[in-house]
């Protein structure tokens, strides 16, 4: 392990004990004991190296060699966000600046009988026992150093509860902005989302960076999906060229529930997305869609898990990437079918276009099946643009650059079309078209 890695780990552990007295929750509380236990696990694990199989293709040495201010205040105003081109939406908009809830920028439009929305720090203060009943009950299974680090330092984020039989008419949009205008910024937001029986909600997380200094976001989201409930969850990252992002989303599904995920990475220096779904009920439906566009020296790593633990459930996964320049991509998709999960249908596909000889894509689909009455498949393809299709379009008078952009946009369409919040889909279509046209 490098000296830089040890230095950052030591600084973080030291900071934890120095700030224990001002953390939310009494030091003797059950919630704080979870934090302490997580810190001990992080201290033992340390930051991962490429010797760790789960991080074989994603070297975090550069990330952990930097120094970040995890406790920085910000004087950001709405006018400061204009350059980020954040679209207006008819939705519940919740802003977090450097990982902390910003009431002045936020707006709630749904009634309190449809859902409860509270900053996590306020929820811990008002009902610590309730938060403790959810906190780290899903993410605690990960065994991941970054997740343990987030758990130890959890201070703010969001707590959302949708009561049973409620359909939330307006989406909930969580906007995380790193204010890196004057210094390197670190943030560790924690989100807890509980969706009651026969309830339905649309959620989105959006990550942006303001400024030219480095930022490091280490985010964890835990989503509880009850019986007969439905959740649409989208994650959009359009951060700066100096942004490091590690995000983990842990989901548990119960009987007859549906979970629908779309993860789109548009920009960022280093991105690691972990999406882990435990299908712990019968007749569940889980869908995972992903799209990524690394260029320059950017690195995007998507790790997914569909863990089937009960019979008669389905999962379907499609991830697509377009890589340019000297960028690197990683996809590691796991499907587990436990012994009790008979009559499982699980499908996984990862498709990539590599536009430069210096770009690299590493894929590792995995199936572990312990039941005999199942239908499962996985597949991955990595190749170049279809020269025959390109030639056909050129022969119709379309320029090379325009034909290339059209083909790549069509390649993305079957993922983008799955995003069912209209304003987000339209925003992505415009950004993707602009990104593809500028190369």
């Amino acid at each position: 392990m490098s000296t830089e890695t040890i230095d950052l780990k030591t600084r973080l552990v030291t900071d934890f004990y120095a700030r224990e007295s001002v953390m939310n929750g009494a030091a003797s509380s059950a919630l704080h004991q979870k934090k302490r236990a997580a810190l001990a696990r992080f201290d033992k694990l340390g930051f991962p190296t490429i010797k760790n199989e789960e991080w074989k293709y994603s070297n975090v040495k550069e990330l952990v060699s930097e120094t970040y201010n995890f406790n920085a205040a910000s004087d950001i105003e709405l006018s400061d966000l204009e350059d980020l081109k954040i679209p207006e939406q008819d939705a519940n908009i919740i802003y977090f600046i450097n990982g902390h809830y910003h009431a002045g920028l936020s707006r709630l439009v749904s009634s309190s009988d449809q859902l409860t929305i509270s900053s996590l720090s306020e929820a811990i203060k008002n009902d610590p026992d309730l938060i403790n009943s959810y906190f780290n009950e899903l993410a605690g299974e990960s065994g991941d150093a970054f997740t343990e680090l987030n758990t130890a330092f959890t201070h703010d984020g969001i707590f959302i509860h949708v009561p049973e039989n409620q359909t939330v008419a307006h989406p909930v949009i969580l906007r995380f902005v790193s204010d890196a205008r004057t210094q390197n910024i670190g943030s560790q937001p924690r989100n807890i989302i509980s969706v009651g029986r026969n309830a339905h909600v649309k959620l989105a997380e959006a990550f942006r960076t303001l400024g030219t200094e480095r930022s490091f976001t280490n985010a964890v989201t835990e989503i509880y999906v009850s019986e007969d409930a439905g959740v649409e969850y989208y994650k959009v990252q359009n951060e700066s060229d100096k942004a490091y992002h590690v995000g983990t989303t842990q989901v548990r599904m119960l009987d007859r529930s549906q979970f629908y995920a779309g993860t789109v990475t548009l920009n960022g220096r280093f991105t690691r997305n972990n999406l882990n779904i435990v299908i712990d009920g019968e007749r569940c439906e889980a869908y995972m869609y992903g799209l990524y566009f690394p260029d320059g020296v950017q690195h995007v790593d998507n790790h997914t898990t569909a863990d089937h633990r009960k019979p008669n459930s389905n999962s379907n996964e499609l991830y697509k990437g377009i890589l340019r320049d000297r960028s690197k991509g990683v996809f590691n998709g796991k499907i587990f079918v436990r012994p009790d999960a008979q009559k499982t249908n699980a499908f996984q596909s990862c498709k990539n276009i590599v536009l430069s000889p210096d770009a690299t894509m590493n894929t590792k689909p995995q199936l572990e099946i312990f039941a005999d009455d199942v239908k499962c498949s996985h597949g991955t393809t990595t190749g170049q643009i279809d020269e025959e299709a390109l030639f056909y379009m050129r022969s119709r008078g379309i320029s090379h650059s325009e034909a290339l952009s059209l083909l790549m946009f069509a390649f993305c369409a079957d993922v983008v079309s799955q995003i069912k919040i209209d304003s987000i889909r339209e925003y992505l279509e415009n950004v993707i078209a602009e990104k593809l046209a500028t190369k």
Side-chain angles (χ1 to χ4, degrees), residues 193-204:
I193 299 158
S194 169
V195 183
R197 186 186 187 110
N198 196 37
H200 298 81
V201 65
K202 296 180 180 179
L203 306 160

Side-chain angles (χ1 to χ4, degrees), residues 263-264 289-291 318-320 411-419:
T263 303
V264 181
Y289 295 93
L291 198 58
L318 174 63
Y319 272 65
K320 286 190 168 186
F411 175 78
C412 303
D414 53 354
V415 173
V416 177
S417 64
Q418 299 298 329
I419 295 174

Side-chain angles (χ1 to χ4, degrees), residues 124-136:
I124 292 172
K125 184 187 304 183
N126 295 332
D127 199 341
D129 291 337
L130 174 65
I131 300 304
N132 185 60
S133 69
Y134 290 111
F135 179 64
N136 212 41

Side-chain angles (χ1 to χ4, degrees), residues 26-47:
S28 60
S29 70
L31 189 143
H32 192 79
Q33 293 309 308
K34 287 184 178 180
K35 294 182 181 182
R36 279 195 164 202
L39 183 78
R41 291 191 294 270
F42 167 71
D43 194 14
K44 182 178 180 179
L45 288 167
F47 287 109

Side-chain angles (χ1 to χ4, degrees), residues 302-369:
N302 285 290
H303 268 58
T304 67
T305 302
D307 188 351
H308 290 263
R309 298 186 178 181
K310 299 289 176 64
N312 300 302
S313 289
N314 302 326
S315 65
N316 203 322
E317 179 174 9
L318 174 63
Y319 272 65
K320 286 190 168 186
I322 298 176
L323 296 88
R324 306 176 187 266
D325 306 323
R326 292 185 291 123
S327 64
K328 295 182 179 180
V330 180
F331 173 80
N332 188 337
K334 305 184 188 74
I335 297 173
F336 296 103
V337 182
R338 306 297 179 178
D340 292 336
Q342 300 291 346
K343 298 189 181 302
T344 287
N345 295 323
F347 307 102
Q348 178 192 99
S349 177
C350 177
K351 300 178 180 180
N352 303 281
I353 295 177
V354 178
L355 298 175
S356 166
D358 297 319
T360 304
M361 183 70 205
N362 294 287
T363 60
K364 186 181 178 183
Q366 294 177 252
L367 285 175
E368 294 191 27
I369 301 172

Side-chain angles (χ1 to χ4, degrees), residues 223-389:
I223 304 176
Y224 297 79
V225 188
S226 299
E227 295 90 342
D228 302 294
V231 176
E232 291 179 28
Y233 165 81
Y234 305 103
K235 179 178 180 181
V236 179
Q237 298 153 284
N238 195 6
E239 300 177 88
S240 75
D241 291 336
K242 294 183 179 180
Y244 302 94
H245 181 106
V246 178
T248 297
T249 303
Q250 298 281 152
V251 183
R252 186 186 69 187
M253 303 174 63
L254 299 183
D255 289 346
R256 300 174 301 281
S257 61
Q258 292 188 340
F259 184 79
Y260 198 99
T263 303
V264 181
T265 301
L266 297 167
N267 202 60
R269 175 65 185 87
F270 178 99
T271 302
R272 167 72 173 241
N273 294 313
N274 301 311
L275 174 58
N276 304 314
I277 303 177
V278 175
I279 303 168
D280 202 13
E282 294 194 51
R283 307 199 181 282
C284 296
E285 300 279 345
Y287 300 90
M288 293 171 275
Y289 295 93
L291 198 58
Y292 41 97
F293 301 88
D295 55 25
V297 293
Q298 294 175 357
H299 182 102
V300 178
D301 181 347
N302 285 290
H303 268 58
T304 67
T305 302
D307 188 351
H308 290 263
R309 298 186 178 181
K310 299 289 176 64
N312 300 302
S313 289
N314 302 326
S315 65
N316 203 322
E317 179 174 9
L318 174 63
Y319 272 65
K320 286 190 168 186
I322 298 176
L323 296 88
R324 306 176 187 266
D325 306 323
R326 292 185 291 123
S327 64
K328 295 182 179 180
V330 180
F331 173 80
N332 188 337
K334 305 184 188 74
I335 297 173
F336 296 103
V337 182
R338 306 297 179 178
D340 292 336
Q342 300 291 346
K343 298 189 181 302
T344 287
N345 295 323
F347 307 102
Q348 178 192 99
S349 177
C350 177
K351 300 178 180 180
N352 303 281
I353 295 177
V354 178
L355 298 175
S356 166
D358 297 319
T360 304
M361 183 70 205
N362 294 287
T363 60
K364 186 181 178 183
Q366 294 177 252
L367 285 175
E368 294 191 27
I369 301 172
F370 304 97
D372 52 18
D373 187 7
V374 302
K375 293 181 181 179
C376 297
S377 69
H378 63 186
T380 178
T381 59
T382 299
Q384 298 177 331
I385 200 74
D386 186 342
E387 292 293 338
E388 196 170 300

